[in-house]
Amino acid sequence: MSASAQPSPWVALGPGHSYKNMMTKHVLLIIGGGIAAYKSLFLIRELSRRGISSQVILTKGGSQFVTALSAGALTNKPVFTDLWELDETGDMGHIELSRSADLIVVAPATANLLARAAQGVASDLASTTLLATDKRVLYAPAMNVRMWEAAATQRNVQTLIDDGALFVGPDAGDMACGEFGEGRMAEPEAIADAVEAALMGDTSLDALREPKPLAGQSALVTAGPTREPLDPVRYLSNHSSGKQGYAIAQALADLGAEVTLVSGPTALPAPLGVTRVVVETAEEMLAACEDALPANVFVSVAAVADWRPATRTDKKTKKPKDGPAPLELVENPDILKTICAHKKRPELVIGFAAETHDVVKLARAKRLRKTCDWIVANDVSGDVMGGDANAMILVKEDGEESWPRMDKRAAARKLAREIAKALK
Ligand code: CTP
């Protein structure tokens, strides 16, 4: 079993100065059409000073204020403005542009860009990239105070926050339009601080405008499959990818919870700002969970193998000459049930029920059998296991709520908000 606190320790050198370990990070910077665009050139310099490289998408509006030549010279990389010109560059596409980035930064984020991003309108390279990305997006809004305060803009900002976006600024002050108020883009140093914090998984900086309803609460999440070895080369396991559990751990951390993720073997990187404990077997998973208590909430997402081989040999088991396969199984501990009966039982315990038929009926029975508070039921007869989407049914004591099929990360954020409401 190995514990890896993610990310590795870093050193704050004071406001506006560099944290360590940024050398390999890369940001895709979308420069929108606002007078603050000139500050984004300073942002490129500031990021590069901190060891963070960037590549620029310049919107049509942005190119009215700064040139592709200056952005390209500062980043040392081609600048893209048009959705269609990418095809000519071979591999490079809007998907590829965001795939190679650790974070997307939109600065200045105009009211128009925010509106299109919130609505999922893909009308140019910038908005298409924002719709197509699975990376975190940090917006640095810049606009006239009345536009910023407009109900529509505030609605869009809230939608983007609900979708997992981060915000830095805007600041209050004198504006280029001659008015005074909130709407001025955050200074490059402050944006760079927020970029570093987001890259390190710290979304709790005051600069990042995201509600933290789970601040001060702790969460324990299990994810992935368990692997039950027979001998040094064989094991019993299942198809769980860990995606849903990892997304829930990330969503809870994003809402301010201190999260321990006990994970079976997966191919996934540790979620940002989450302490991950990697285990292999169900017994190790139970021990790691008990070690992580107390916690305010336990979300049991792992697809724990119900059985393990009765014996585990140090040498590879040889095929018997005749007779049946030598595979005797014993039952694994039920982690969810054990934690429900634990003297340090978290105040909210949530199980998952992966079913292929009679989903709600079986989930209701499972909730009672395991004595957990909620069960999230999902129909795994399709492509849920290993896939990116999930249609969940939240089963509580007083009834069920069906959620539409959505991306696993969106489902995780919805569940995290439900948890935050329940723990309030
Ligand atoms: N679970 C657990 N430990 C186990 C088996 C399951 O903690 N040994 C948890 C899972 O993480 C999930 C819930 O129990 O939250 C239900 O898992 P599931 O596999 O659907 O249920 P089982 O108890 O294994 O029942 P069955 O396989 O008969 O449906």
Side-chain angles (χ1 to χ4, degrees):
M1 195 188 305
S2 70
S4 65
Q6 170 77 17
S8 56
W10 45 273
V11 188
L13 300 178
H17 290 279
S18 187
Y19 304 142
K20 290 213 169 130
N21 300 335
M22 282 294 160
M23 292 312 285
T24 55
K25 298 294 182 189
H26 178 64
V27 156
L28 178 62
L29 174 62
I30 297 177
I31 302 182
I35 180 66
Y38 79 92
K39 288 203 220 169
S40 298
L41 299 181
F42 291 94
L43 174 62
I44 296 169
R45 292 281 296 274
E46 184 58 31
L47 290 174
S48 132
R49 200 179 67 75
R50 299 178 188 212
I52 304 168
S53 64
S54 33
Q55 177 150 27
V56 168
I57 291 180
L58 189 59
T59 66
K60 216 166 162 201
S63 64
Q64 301 291 320
F65 295 91
V66 295
T67 66
L69 191 63
S70 33
L74 287 167
T75 56
N76 229 343
K77 292 199 177 62
V79 172
F80 294 100
T81 49
D82 189 357
L83 189 53
W84 312 115
E85 80 194 355
L86 290 178
D87 292 339
E88 291 155 27
T89 65
D91 303 345
M92 197 56 97
H94 49 280
I95 309 280
E96 192 49 43
L97 272 178
S98 81
R99 193 176 285 150
S100 54
D102 297 293
L103 179 76
I104 299 191
V105 179
V106 187
T110 60
N112 179 288
L113 253 176
L114 291 175
R116 283 186 290 145
Q119 300 308 314
V121 175
S123 52
D124 62 1
L125 177 60
S127 52
T128 306
T129 303
L130 290 170
L131 187 61
T133 190
D134 59 354
K135 297 293 163 58
R136 208 170 248 289
V137 184
L138 172 70
Y139 292 91
M143 65 198 76
N144 165 277
V145 56
R146 269 177 253 290
M147 288 170 82
W148 173 248
E149 286 173 356
T153 301
Q154 290 304 312
R155 249 192 332 267
N156 293 332
V157 169
Q158 192 55 51
T159 301
L160 291 167
I161 288 172
D162 290 346
D163 290 346
L166 301 168
F167 278 77
V168 52
D171 293 345
D174 288 321
M175 308 184 72
C177 56
E179 293 195 53
F180 181 89
E182 230 186 28
R184 207 169 71 172
M185 188 168 91
E187 292 305 318
E189 290 241 314
I191 301 175
D193 283 349
V195 167
E196 280 193 310
L199 286 172
M200 301 306 287
D202 178 1
T203 53
S204 63
L205 281 196
D206 289 345
L208 303 177
R209 169 192 271 276
E210 195 181 19
K212 302 283 173 203
L214 286 175
Q217 310 265 13
S218 55
L220 170 63
V221 180
T222 62
T226 64
R227 194 179 269 181
E228 312 293 336
L230 285 102
D231 64 21
V233 292
R234 304 184 182 94
Y235 58 81
L236 299 178
S237 192
N238 58 62
H239 287 303
S240 168
S241 64
K243 283 180 190 166
Q244 187 63 80
Y246 273 55
I248 290 169
Q250 181 74 78
L252 290 168
D254 287 351
L255 293 190
E258 189 142 323
V259 182
T260 302
L261 171 65
V262 179
S263 170
T266 71
L268 302 172
L272 295 172
V274 163
T275 301
R276 178 169 68 163
V277 181
V278 179
V279 297
E280 197 166 301
T281 65
E283 287 178 305
E284 287 175 0
M285 188 173 270
L286 175 59
C289 286
E290 288 185 303
D291 277 355
L293 293 179
N296 297 96
V297 57
F298 172 43
V299 192
S300 178
V301 198
V304 184
D306 290 327
W307 307 90
R308 68 175 183 276
T311 52
R312 174 181 179 173
T313 57
D314 291 340
K315 292 202 180 104
K316 188 180 164 193
T317 311
K318 286 295 174 193
K319 219 175 351 197
K321 294 230 158 40
D322 43 40
L327 186 58
E328 197 192 324
L329 300 176
V330 291
E331 204 171 340
N332 262 332
D334 188 319
I335 299 168
L336 176 58
K337 212 167 164 182
T338 308
I339 301 293
C340 280
H342 203 279
K343 57 180 187 305
K344 291 187 192 158
R345 184 194 198 278
E347 55 190 286
L348 181 62
V349 178
I350 305 168
F352 268 65
E355 310 290 356
T356 54
H357 60 280
D358 294 330
V359 178
V360 174
K361 194 171 137 216
L362 292 174
R364 276 193 208 134
K366 203 167 270 183
R367 194 188 74 82
L368 296 173
R369 199 168 66 241
K370 306 255 183 180
T371 67
C372 57
D373 302 295
W374 303 348
I375 279 266
V376 178
N378 50 13
D379 187 339
V380 289
S381 56
D383 58 356
V384 168
M385 274 196 149
D388 288 324
N390 204 351
M392 312 209 284
I393 304 165
L394 185 57
V395 179
K396 297 184 182 172
E397 190 181 2
D398 55 359
E400 294 88 42
E401 198 181 300
S402 289
W403 296 351
R405 184 181 157 88
M406 58 181 104
D407 179 270
K408 283 184 177 170
R409 287 165 306 157
R413 286 193 290 271
K414 193 164 163 60
L415 183 65
R417 285 197 296 275
E418 281 290 319
I419 291 170
K421 269 194 264 164
L423 290 183
K424 211 156 44 185

Short mmCIF file of all heavy atoms in Angstrom, two decimals, residues 222 300-306 332-337 350-355 366 369-370, ligand 1:
data_model
loop_
_atom_site.label_atom_id
_atom_site.label_comp_id
_atom_site.label_asym_id
_atom_site.label_seq_id
_atom_site.Cartn_x
_atom_site.Cartn_y
_atom_site.Cartn_z
N THR A 222 -13.90 5.66 -2.00
CA THR A 222 -13.19 4.52 -2.59
C THR A 222 -13.50 4.49 -4.09
O THR A 222 -14.58 4.92 -4.51
CB THR A 222 -13.61 3.17 -1.98
OG1 THR A 222 -15.00 2.94 -2.23
CG2 THR A 222 -13.32 3.11 -0.50
N SER A 300 -18.74 5.26 -1.24
CA SER A 300 -18.16 3.96 -1.57
C SER A 300 -18.43 3.64 -3.04
O SER A 300 -19.47 3.10 -3.39
CB SER A 300 -18.80 2.92 -0.65
OG SER A 300 -18.34 1.64 -0.93
N VAL A 301 -17.50 4.04 -3.89
CA VAL A 301 -17.71 3.88 -5.32
C VAL A 301 -16.98 2.65 -5.87
O VAL A 301 -17.28 2.16 -6.95
CB VAL A 301 -17.24 5.14 -6.10
CG1 VAL A 301 -17.85 5.17 -7.49
CG2 VAL A 301 -17.61 6.42 -5.35
N ALA A 302 -16.01 2.16 -5.10
CA ALA A 302 -15.17 1.07 -5.61
C ALA A 302 -15.99 -0.16 -5.98
O ALA A 302 -16.99 -0.47 -5.33
CB ALA A 302 -14.13 0.69 -4.56
N ALA A 303 -15.56 -0.81 -7.03
CA ALA A 303 -16.16 -2.09 -7.41
C ALA A 303 -15.31 -3.17 -6.74
O ALA A 303 -14.35 -3.68 -7.31
CB ALA A 303 -16.14 -2.24 -8.93
N VAL A 304 -15.66 -3.43 -5.48
CA VAL A 304 -14.87 -4.35 -4.66
C VAL A 304 -15.18 -5.78 -5.10
O VAL A 304 -16.35 -6.15 -5.24
CB VAL A 304 -15.22 -4.15 -3.17
CG1 VAL A 304 -14.35 -5.04 -2.29
CG2 VAL A 304 -15.11 -2.69 -2.77
N ALA A 305 -14.14 -6.57 -5.28
CA ALA A 305 -14.38 -7.98 -5.64
C ALA A 305 -15.03 -8.66 -4.44
O ALA A 305 -14.54 -8.55 -3.31
CB ALA A 305 -13.06 -8.64 -5.98
N ASP A 306 -16.14 -9.32 -4.68
CA ASP A 306 -16.85 -9.96 -3.56
C ASP A 306 -16.09 -11.18 -3.04
O ASP A 306 -16.28 -11.57 -1.89
CB ASP A 306 -18.25 -10.40 -4.03
CG ASP A 306 -19.15 -9.20 -4.28
OD1 ASP A 306 -18.99 -8.20 -3.56
OD2 ASP A 306 -19.99 -9.25 -5.20
N ASN A 332 -14.90 -11.75 0.52
CA ASN A 332 -14.16 -10.57 0.97
C ASN A 332 -14.98 -9.79 1.99
O ASN A 332 -16.21 -9.92 2.03
CB ASN A 332 -13.89 -9.65 -0.24
CG ASN A 332 -12.50 -9.85 -0.79
OD1 ASN A 332 -11.59 -10.24 -0.06
ND2 ASN A 332 -12.34 -9.60 -2.08
N PRO A 333 -14.33 -8.96 2.80
CA PRO A 333 -15.11 -8.11 3.71
C PRO A 333 -15.97 -7.14 2.90
O PRO A 333 -15.57 -6.71 1.80
CB PRO A 333 -14.05 -7.35 4.50
CG PRO A 333 -12.81 -7.43 3.68
CD PRO A 333 -12.89 -8.71 2.91
N ASP A 334 -17.14 -6.81 3.41
CA ASP A 334 -17.98 -5.79 2.77
C ASP A 334 -17.57 -4.45 3.40
O ASP A 334 -17.90 -4.17 4.56
CB ASP A 334 -19.45 -6.10 3.00
CG ASP A 334 -20.34 -5.17 2.18
OD1 ASP A 334 -20.03 -3.97 2.10
OD2 ASP A 334 -21.33 -5.66 1.61
N ILE A 335 -16.84 -3.66 2.62
CA ILE A 335 -16.26 -2.42 3.17
C ILE A 335 -17.36 -1.44 3.56
O ILE A 335 -17.37 -0.87 4.65
CB ILE A 335 -15.30 -1.78 2.14
CG1 ILE A 335 -14.17 -2.77 1.85
CG2 ILE A 335 -14.76 -0.46 2.66
CD1 ILE A 335 -13.30 -2.42 0.66
N LEU A 336 -18.32 -1.28 2.66
CA LEU A 336 -19.41 -0.33 2.91
C LEU A 336 -20.17 -0.70 4.19
O LEU A 336 -20.41 0.15 5.06
CB LEU A 336 -20.35 -0.32 1.69
CG LEU A 336 -21.60 0.53 1.79
CD1 LEU A 336 -21.28 1.99 2.05
CD2 LEU A 336 -22.43 0.41 0.50
N LYS A 337 -20.51 -1.96 4.30
CA LYS A 337 -21.27 -2.42 5.47
C LYS A 337 -20.44 -2.26 6.75
O LYS A 337 -20.96 -1.85 7.79
CB LYS A 337 -21.64 -3.90 5.26
CG LYS A 337 -22.94 -4.27 5.89
CD LYS A 337 -23.40 -5.60 5.41
CE LYS A 337 -24.47 -6.12 6.35
NZ LYS A 337 -24.94 -7.42 5.97
N ILE A 350 -22.65 6.89 1.63
CA ILE A 350 -23.30 6.72 0.32
C ILE A 350 -22.68 5.51 -0.38
O ILE A 350 -21.47 5.43 -0.56
CB ILE A 350 -23.09 7.97 -0.55
CG1 ILE A 350 -23.60 9.21 0.21
CG2 ILE A 350 -23.80 7.83 -1.90
CD1 ILE A 350 -23.19 10.51 -0.42
N GLY A 351 -23.54 4.58 -0.74
CA GLY A 351 -23.07 3.41 -1.49
C GLY A 351 -23.44 3.54 -2.95
O GLY A 351 -24.23 4.41 -3.35
N PHE A 352 -22.88 2.71 -3.79
CA PHE A 352 -23.24 2.63 -5.20
C PHE A 352 -23.82 1.25 -5.46
O PHE A 352 -23.43 0.29 -4.81
CB PHE A 352 -22.00 2.86 -6.09
CG PHE A 352 -21.82 4.30 -6.47
CD1 PHE A 352 -21.55 5.25 -5.49
CD2 PHE A 352 -21.94 4.71 -7.79
CE1 PHE A 352 -21.41 6.59 -5.83
CE2 PHE A 352 -21.79 6.05 -8.14
CZ PHE A 352 -21.53 6.98 -7.16
N ALA A 353 -24.75 1.20 -6.36
CA ALA A 353 -25.30 -0.10 -6.72
C ALA A 353 -25.24 -0.23 -8.24
O ALA A 353 -25.97 0.45 -8.96
CB ALA A 353 -26.74 -0.22 -6.25
N ALA A 354 -24.33 -1.06 -8.68
CA ALA A 354 -24.21 -1.30 -10.11
C ALA A 354 -25.09 -2.50 -10.42
O ALA A 354 -24.84 -3.59 -9.93
CB ALA A 354 -22.76 -1.60 -10.44
N GLU A 355 -26.15 -2.25 -11.19
CA GLU A 355 -27.09 -3.35 -11.48
C GLU A 355 -27.31 -3.44 -12.99
O GLU A 355 -27.17 -2.45 -13.71
CB GLU A 355 -28.45 -3.10 -10.80
CG GLU A 355 -28.37 -2.76 -9.32
CD GLU A 355 -27.95 -3.93 -8.44
OE1 GLU A 355 -27.79 -5.05 -8.95
OE2 GLU A 355 -27.76 -3.71 -7.22
N LYS A 366 -30.65 -2.91 -1.41
CA LYS A 366 -29.22 -2.82 -1.07
C LYS A 366 -28.98 -1.75 -0.01
O LYS A 366 -28.17 -1.92 0.90
CB LYS A 366 -28.41 -2.53 -2.33
CG LYS A 366 -26.97 -2.93 -2.25
CD LYS A 366 -26.28 -2.93 -3.61
CE LYS A 366 -26.38 -4.26 -4.33
NZ LYS A 366 -25.68 -4.30 -5.61
N ARG A 369 -29.94 -3.21 3.24
CA ARG A 369 -29.05 -4.30 3.64
C ARG A 369 -27.70 -3.76 4.14
O ARG A 369 -27.15 -4.24 5.11
CB ARG A 369 -28.84 -5.22 2.43
CG ARG A 369 -28.34 -6.60 2.79
CD ARG A 369 -28.42 -7.57 1.63
NE ARG A 369 -27.53 -7.24 0.54
CZ ARG A 369 -27.93 -6.96 -0.70
NH1 ARG A 369 -29.23 -6.92 -0.99
NH2 ARG A 369 -27.06 -6.69 -1.65
N LYS A 370 -27.22 -2.73 3.45
CA LYS A 370 -25.89 -2.21 3.81
C LYS A 370 -25.98 -1.18 4.94
O LYS A 370 -24.96 -0.76 5.46
CB LYS A 370 -25.24 -1.55 2.59
CG LYS A 370 -25.16 -2.43 1.36
CD LYS A 370 -23.77 -2.94 1.13
CE LYS A 370 -23.72 -3.75 -0.15
NZ LYS A 370 -22.38 -4.28 -0.42
N1 CTP B 1 -19.03 -2.80 -1.58
C1 CTP B 1 -18.05 -2.82 -0.62
N2 CTP B 1 -17.42 -3.99 -0.32
C2 CTP B 1 -17.74 -5.14 -0.96
C3 CTP B 1 -18.74 -5.12 -1.96
C4 CTP B 1 -19.36 -3.93 -2.25
O1 CTP B 1 -17.75 -1.77 -0.05
N3 CTP B 1 -17.10 -6.25 -0.64
C5 CTP B 1 -19.76 -1.55 -1.84
C6 CTP B 1 -19.53 -0.93 -3.21
O2 CTP B 1 -18.48 0.02 -3.17
C7 CTP B 1 -20.87 -0.26 -3.46
C8 CTP B 1 -21.86 -1.13 -2.74
O3 CTP B 1 -21.12 -1.87 -1.78
O4 CTP B 1 -20.94 1.00 -2.85
C9 CTP B 1 -22.62 -2.08 -3.60
O5 CTP B 1 -21.74 -2.83 -4.41
P1 CTP B 1 -22.31 -3.94 -5.38
O6 CTP B 1 -21.16 -4.65 -6.00
O7 CTP B 1 -23.36 -3.34 -6.27
O8 CTP B 1 -23.08 -4.84 -4.34
P2 CTP B 1 -22.76 -6.18 -3.65
O9 CTP B 1 -22.83 -5.99 -2.19
O10 CTP B 1 -21.49 -6.76 -4.16
O11 CTP B 1 -24.02 -7.05 -4.09
P3 CTP B 1 -24.28 -7.82 -5.46
O12 CTP B 1 -22.95 -8.00 -6.13
O13 CTP B 1 -24.91 -9.06 -5.00
O14 CTP B 1 -25.22 -6.94 -6.22
#
